[in-house]
Amino acid sequence: MTLKYFTDLPECKPDQDINYGLEENESILINCQVDAYPPPFLFHWSFNESYNSTSLSFNNKLKNVAKYELKAYNYGILSCQAENSVGLQTQPCYYHIIPPSILTYCS
């Protein structure tokens, strides 16, 4: 039996990929990696462009992996927030969807 004497709001795991270079009509799976106890039971996803913000939903509410497909060069920031019985993650995890040329230039 494992006893834990602490509880934590979810937090983004360090050292995960946050920049994704995509071409139009290309898709990628992005894994929202968080540390939390107790484990998360829900993940909230949203996508922010310079002119629009969209909430993303899935049939399975416990979805820490998002499949993002780039259409019409809608680059922006994909974010996720995990929720456990302690509460909602205070600082979302951010994933930047950018043109591959920028990703190559920045590395």
Side-chain angles (χ1 to χ4, degrees):
M1 183 165 100
T2 302
L3 286 177
K4 297 237 180 186
Y5 296 100
F6 60 91
T7 56
D8 290 320
L9 284 172
E11 293 182 350
C12 301
K13 283 188 175 180
D15 301 324
Q16 58 181 308
D17 289 334
I18 61 167
N19 295 312
Y20 294 90
L22 293 180
E23 296 284 356
E24 186 175 11
N25 298 318
E26 188 176 9
S27 64
I28 192 161
L29 295 176
I30 297 177
N31 185 359
C32 183
Q33 300 176 34
V34 296
D35 286 321
Y37 185 82
F41 62 81
L42 184 63
F43 285 83
H44 305 272
W45 286 90
S46 65
F47 182 75
N48 295 301
E49 298 173 281
S50 58
Y51 61 90
N52 190 19
S53 178
T54 306
S55 292
L56 306 174
S57 60
F58 301 97
N59 291 334
N60 176 1
K61 290 293 186 186
L62 178 60
K63 194 73 169 178
N64 68 318
V65 177
K67 181 179 181 182
Y68 182 78
E69 183 174 352
L70 183 66
K71 294 189 185 244
Y73 295 100
N74 54 341
Y75 296 106
I77 299 172
L78 187 64
S79 65
C80 79
Q81 279 183 289
E83 187 173 350
N84 64 7
S85 59
V86 179
L88 181 64
Q89 181 177 351
T90 55
Q91 180 65 36
C93 301
Y94 295 107
Y95 305 96
H96 304 268
I97 310 300
I98 57 179
S101 57
I102 293 176
L103 186 62
T104 304
Y105 180 73
C106 293
S107 354

